[in-house]
Amino acid sequence: MSDTPWYDEAPAHAVRVIASLREYRTAEQAMRRRTRESMRMGEADLRALKFLLKAQEEHRLTTPVQLGAYLGMKSSSVTAMLDRLAASGHVSRHPHPSDRRSITIRATPGADEEVRHTLAAMHRRMLDVAAALGPERSQTVVAFLSQLTVLAEAD
């Protein structure tokens, strides 16, 4: 076995790319933590809200079972989370239109506004950086990140 780290044999430019990606991920995790703290929510709560908002945008109904499957949570944990989000005014529960044994969940208009307000400035700054890349460089970045996504999902 070699005494040198594995990355010492990799091209320097590749090591810089991976190091930059790691720095970005660290910064993004810190930003997500600050966002959750400012909204007084946990990671699963914020992911649930984003999922519900996207479903509503696409005119899809969402049940607790679907939300639990998306979040990888047990039914009891989903119920506790929905109780919290309902108490804070972020979600509402409604009878399912075709299954009287089920309910649907919707993010409230206030939740939509809060998420948009909290994330809008950051998203705008990120889009400005992405727009500055131009079409060709953007295509390269998208291809690179897509390939990393495939690798990450394969493990």
Side-chain angles (χ1 to χ4, degrees):
M1 190 147 188
S2 172
D3 290 338
T4 60
W6 64 268
Y7 54 82
D8 281 354
E9 297 173 12
H13 71 278
V15 173
R16 285 192 304 273
V17 168
I18 298 303
S20 293
L21 184 60
R22 286 182 175 152
E23 289 172 15
Y24 168 74
R25 288 181 61 212
T26 299
E28 182 192 30
Q29 288 170 349
M31 180 269 308
R32 287 179 180 275
R33 186 188 70 250
R34 289 189 306 271
T35 299
R36 289 190 314 268
E37 288 171 357
S38 76
M39 294 181 71
R40 294 177 182 85
M41 289 185 185
E43 175 72 22
D45 297 359
L46 191 54
R47 286 184 61 218
L49 271 183
K50 288 180 181 180
F51 180 78
L52 292 171
L53 290 169
K54 183 175 183 190
Q56 286 169 217
E57 188 176 292
E58 296 170 355
H59 305 288
R60 289 185 290 113
L61 297 177
T62 305
T63 65
V65 170
Q66 292 167 324
L67 184 60
Y70 173 75
L71 297 172
M73 293 172 64
K74 294 180 182 179
S75 175
S76 58
S77 298
V78 171
T79 299
M81 179 184 62
L82 291 175
D83 288 346
R84 258 192 332 273
L85 290 172
S88 66
H90 289 100
V91 301
S92 57
R93 293 174 168 117
H94 304 273
H96 195 285
S98 61
D99 181 355
R100 61 188 178 118
R101 297 169 297 152
S102 185
I103 62 167
T104 62
I105 312 136
R106 294 185 207 139
T108 62
D112 184 27
E113 188 176 311
E114 183 178 0
V115 168
R116 287 181 192 276
H117 174 75
T118 302
L119 301 177
M122 183 265 309
H123 284 162
R124 221 178 355 265
R125 290 189 305 268
M126 290 173 76
L127 282 170
D128 288 346
V129 171
L133 289 172
E136 285 183 30
R137 289 173 65 199
S138 294
Q139 198 171 25
T140 300
V141 171
V142 168
F144 168 73
L145 293 173
S146 294
Q147 289 173 333
L148 288 184
T149 300
V150 168
L151 289 174
E153 290 174 342
D155 284 346

